[in-house]
Amino acid sequence: MNFEEFDAYFDRFTQDVFRLENLQHYAISAEDERVRAFREGTARPERSVRTEPWLARIAATAVAGKNWERVHVVDHPLSEYLRYELVGYVESQAAGEQIGIADRAADASLSTLGEDFWLFDSESPDAYAVLMHYDEAGHFVGFDHTVDPGVLDRCREQRDIVRRHSVGLNTYLAARKADVVPE
């Protein structure tokens, strides 16, 4: 699978898409400028439905009645990257994505999760998943599309686990403000 094929999955889904994120750091070169601005406390480049095709896509699918959701399983103290990413989640949420945060320490089941994935149209006969592969440093190394029933069941099970142990982004930010934005 190449990036164009991966990207097309976000135009194909008809009901819902769910993203599970387990890493505490993703090494994404396209984010370097924004991470640097976050670290230095300077203005970050605008990221909105007007400037970011990804956010415009989320907004368009939400308007079409499709559900776009992600849960990130986090460890405390938060890494610098996660504190940066939480700010970006606010922007994604404004575009229509439902964001949940699960504290890995909340339940032992959160320590047994597998790799990151996207799960599309999860309850339909046409369900499919894209498994995301990263190296130890958080660099993306590849992805695999699957319709294997066993893998889809595992993705649904992990989705349900993290949903049970997550709180909405606003609730998390309100409760953990000092962890997110140290004073």
Side-chain angles (χ1 to χ4, degrees), residues 18-72:
F18 176 86
R19 170 77 158 122
L20 173 62
E21 293 180 308
N22 280 307
L23 299 182
Q24 306 309 293
H25 176 84
Y26 293 88
I28 303 168
S29 60
E31 292 182 332
D32 287 350
E33 179 183 350
R34 294 177 57 79
V35 172
R36 185 173 30 263
F38 175 82
R39 179 181 305 119
E40 295 170 358
T42 61
R44 298 172 348 146
E46 180 186 356
R47 185 171 175 261
S48 72
V49 295
R50 292 186 320 270
T51 63
E52 187 74 34
W54 183 258
L55 295 180
R57 174 182 272 160
I58 292 171
T61 57
V63 167
K66 299 175 186 179
N67 186 43
W68 197 298
E69 178 185 6
R70 89 174 51 222
V71 174
H72 200 136

Side-chain angles (χ1 to χ4, degrees), residues 109-127:
S109 64
L110 296 172
S111 294
T112 63
L113 299 170
E115 62 198 336
D116 289 16
F117 62 82
W118 288 96
L119 178 61
F120 297 85
D121 295 330
S122 61
E123 304 306 323
S124 84
D126 299 321

